């Protein structure tokens, strides 16, 4: 038990590396503050394209969404960061993370929005149009709010997955929380920094998971 405490739950080591891990946490939060809003907005755009009445516009986007949902996000990240330089496009690590995860998250958010739009009865749109609202006004004020409400737990669940997805950024040495914890582990020769990082992730995400459960129960 004492050896376990020394190797995996050493409070002295955790206290020493905590400031370093907090810097990684700030980098993680910075990534999330960009990826989540842009992903949510991009998902709406993807949904509009996948539900377009024009086949020439709709089918290529549907194919792209299916492709990127099936494509492993880690492989996509490595391809953007290490593959694009072979065709003359060299991007910084943070830009590679933003591009790869934005493509991935927009595909998932778009499908969630589309499911929400399908759940709104067609009569709601017809009733809104009969009152004189334009197609854009009907979308913004009638169908989209109802669609978001119907799939709000799914949107939040995907957001949690996106936060966890940022841990993959450590593969290309972006100094987010997991990368900082792994670096601290290699410097201290102790696994306690990884345990501390796991605790931080739990404190960050567990309230959101409980909120999702309550929303699913209410809706």
């Amino acid at each position: 038990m004492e050896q376990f405490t020394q190797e995996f739950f050493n409070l002295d080591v955790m206290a020493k590396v905590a400031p370093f891990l907090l810097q990684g946490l700030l980098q993680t939060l910075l990534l999330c503050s960009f990826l989540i809003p842009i992903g949510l907005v991009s998902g709406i755009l993807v949904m509009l394209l996948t539900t377009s009445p024009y086949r020439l516009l709709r089918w290529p986007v549907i194919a792209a969404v299916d492709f990127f949902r099936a494509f492993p996000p880690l492989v996509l990240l490595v391809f953007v960061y290490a593959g694009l330089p072979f065709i003359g496009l060299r991007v910084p690590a943070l830009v590679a993370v933003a591009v790869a995860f934005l493509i991935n998250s927009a595909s998932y958010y778009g499908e969630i929005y589309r499911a929400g739009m399908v759940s709104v009865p067609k009569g709601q749109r017809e009733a809104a149009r009969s009152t004189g609202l334009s197609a854009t006004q009907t979308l913004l004020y009638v169908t989209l709010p109802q669609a978001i409400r119907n799939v709000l737990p799914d949107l939040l669940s995907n957001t949690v997955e996106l936060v966890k997805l940022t841990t993959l950024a450590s593969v290309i040495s972006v100094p987010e929380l997991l990368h900082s914890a792994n670096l601290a582990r290699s410097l201290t020769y102790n696994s306690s920094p990884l345990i501390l990082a796991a605790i931080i992730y739990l404190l960050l995400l567990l309230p959101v998971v409980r909120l999702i459960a309550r929303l699913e129960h209410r809706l």
Side-chain angles (χ1 to χ4, degrees):
M1 184 64 181
E2 182 179 354
Q3 183 179 359
F4 175 84
T5 303
Q6 288 296 321
E7 290 291 334
F8 295 99
F9 209 82
N10 191 314
L11 295 179
D12 291 336
V13 173
M14 289 184 179
K16 290 179 181 178
V17 303
F20 185 61
L21 264 62
L22 287 178
Q23 294 179 8
L25 175 61
L26 290 176
Q27 184 69 63
T28 295
L29 294 177
L30 178 63
L31 282 172
C32 293
S33 66
F34 170 79
L35 290 172
I36 293 173
I38 300 299
L40 288 167
V41 174
S42 299
I44 294 177
L45 177 60
V46 170
M47 177 271 295
L48 293 175
L49 292 174
T50 55
T51 56
S52 170
Y54 304 104
R55 292 185 178 181
L56 291 177
L57 185 62
R58 182 173 71 247
W59 287 113
V61 178
I62 291 175
V65 168
D66 289 343
F67 175 81
F68 285 115
R69 289 176 68 205
F71 204 81
L74 178 57
V75 178
L76 180 60
L77 174 60
V78 173
F79 173 78
V80 173
Y81 180 69
L84 292 183
F86 286 99
I87 60 173
L89 295 176
R90 185 175 299 276
V91 295
L94 278 176
V95 175
V97 170
V99 171
F101 292 168
L102 180 58
I103 292 173
N104 180 270
S105 64
S107 300
Y108 279 96
Y109 279 130
E111 283 298 285
I112 294 172
Y113 283 126
R114 188 175 67 83
M117 293 294 289
V118 171
S119 70
V120 178
K122 186 178 179 181
Q124 295 281 338
R125 292 188 289 271
E126 294 174 347
R129 294 302 300 274
S130 68
T131 62
L133 294 179
S134 66
T136 301
Q137 290 173 324
T138 300
L139 173 67
L140 293 177
Y141 302 133
V142 179
T143 55
L144 189 58
Q146 293 184 72
I148 292 176
R149 180 184 182 277
N150 291 341
V151 296
L152 186 57
D154 295 318
L155 289 173
L156 289 175
S157 294
N158 193 68
T159 300
V160 171
E161 293 301 318
L162 180 56
V163 174
K164 292 189 288 186
L165 198 65
T166 59
T167 58
L168 297 180
S170 62
V171 173
I172 59 173
S173 300
V174 173
E176 46 75 57
L177 179 56
L178 179 60
H179 181 269
S180 299
N182 199 37
L183 183 59
R185 177 197 58 79
S186 64
L187 293 175
T188 59
Y189 300 99
N190 193 286
S191 297
S192 297
L194 293 175
I195 301 299
L196 180 57
I199 293 172
I200 293 173
Y201 275 117
L202 282 174
L203 293 175
L204 185 66
L205 296 177
L206 192 58
V208 182
V209 172
R210 292 307 308 157
L211 173 62
I212 294 171
R214 291 178 63 88
L215 285 174
E216 288 175 341
H217 179 72
R218 292 184 62 183
L219 297 176

